[in-house]
């Protein structure tokens, strides 16, 4: 089992979207039994809350059920529990590196996997209002991450 933790600031927009897109993408590739996706935030501002209503709406438009989600903050034990910690932007990456150290083979930004996108980070739709942009980057990034995992693990 390969475990992936997606991390953004509040864990209600970007990281839950990536979590649910990864689950669907893994299922489409027949890898649900080999891939586990979860998400967390660096701030803890929204602990215990559901994902943002627009995140849920975008997922629904793409045929993904966003139910069963509860926001949480990154915990120290996540370093042991997950094979990859995937940050949404430089600030999240810096916060994770401050906590866990610099480990680019395990801890990196989602956009590092999709340099052709032209994005250096996943913009926060809380501020931009562009949840479709977030979805497109999550979809491309999750596909690239699954390709990476499949190549590394021989899946």
């Amino acid at each position: 089992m390969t475990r992936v933790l997606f991390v953004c600031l509040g864990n209600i927009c970007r990281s839950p979207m990536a979590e649910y897109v990864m689950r669907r993408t893994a299922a489409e590739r027949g890898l649900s039994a080999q891939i586990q996706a979860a998400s967390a935030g660096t701030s803890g501002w929204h602990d215990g809350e559901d994902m943002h209503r627009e995140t849920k709406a975008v997922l629904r438009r793409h045929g993904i059920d966003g139910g069963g989600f509860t926001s949480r903050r990154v915990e120290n034990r996540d370093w042991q529990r997950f094979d990859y910690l995937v940050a949404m932007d430089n600030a999240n990456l810096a916060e994770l590196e401050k906590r866990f150290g610099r480990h680019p083979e395990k801890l990196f930004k989602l956009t590092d996997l999709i340099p052709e996108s032209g994005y250096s980070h996943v913009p926060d739709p809380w501020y931009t209002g562009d949840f479709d942009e977030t979805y497109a980057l999550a979809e491309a990034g999750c596909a690239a991450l699954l390709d990476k995992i499949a190549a590394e693990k021989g899946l």
Side-chain angles (χ1 to χ4, degrees), residues 23-96:
R23 290 178 184 176
R24 197 264 321 264
T25 306
E28 288 174 348
R29 294 190 188 186
L31 297 173
S32 292
Q34 290 89 4
I35 305 292
Q36 180 185 29
S39 63
T42 56
S43 72
W45 292 340
H46 298 284
D47 281 2
E49 295 180 18
D50 196 359
M51 66 179 74
H52 191 283
R53 68 185 179 286
E54 288 299 319
T55 298
K56 194 173 274 192
V58 168
L59 290 173
R60 190 177 321 110
R61 282 199 306 274
H62 290 277
I64 301 171
D65 178 7
F69 178 79
T70 304
S71 177
R72 72 173 185 86
R73 187 175 189 175
V74 172
E75 302 170 343
N76 286 336
R77 67 185 181 138
D78 289 332
W79 185 253
Q80 307 308 325
R81 293 176 55 213
F82 291 93
D83 301 292
Y84 300 98
L85 280 74
V86 184
M88 296 296 127
D89 63 30
N90 290 327
N92 305 140
L93 182 63
E95 184 65 31
L96 292 169

Side-chain angles (χ1 to χ4, degrees), residues 29 31 84 144-155:
R29 294 190 188 186
L31 297 173
Y84 300 98
L145 181 54
L146 274 178
D147 290 345
K148 172 183 171 61
I149 294 168
E152 290 174 358
K153 309 282 183 178
L155 301 178

Side-chain angles (χ1 to χ4, degrees), residues 3 5 31 33 35 38 42 62 66 69 71 73 76 93-94 102 105 109 112 116 122 128-130 134 137 142 145 149:
R3 293 174 174 85
L5 183 69
L31 297 173
I35 305 292
T42 56
H62 290 277
F69 178 79
S71 177
R73 187 175 189 175
N76 286 336
L93 182 63
R102 190 170 183 280
E105 72 287 348
K109 291 185 300 182
D112 292 345
E116 70 282 358
V122 178
T128 69
D130 195 344
T134 303
L137 290 169
C142 287
L145 181 54
I149 294 168

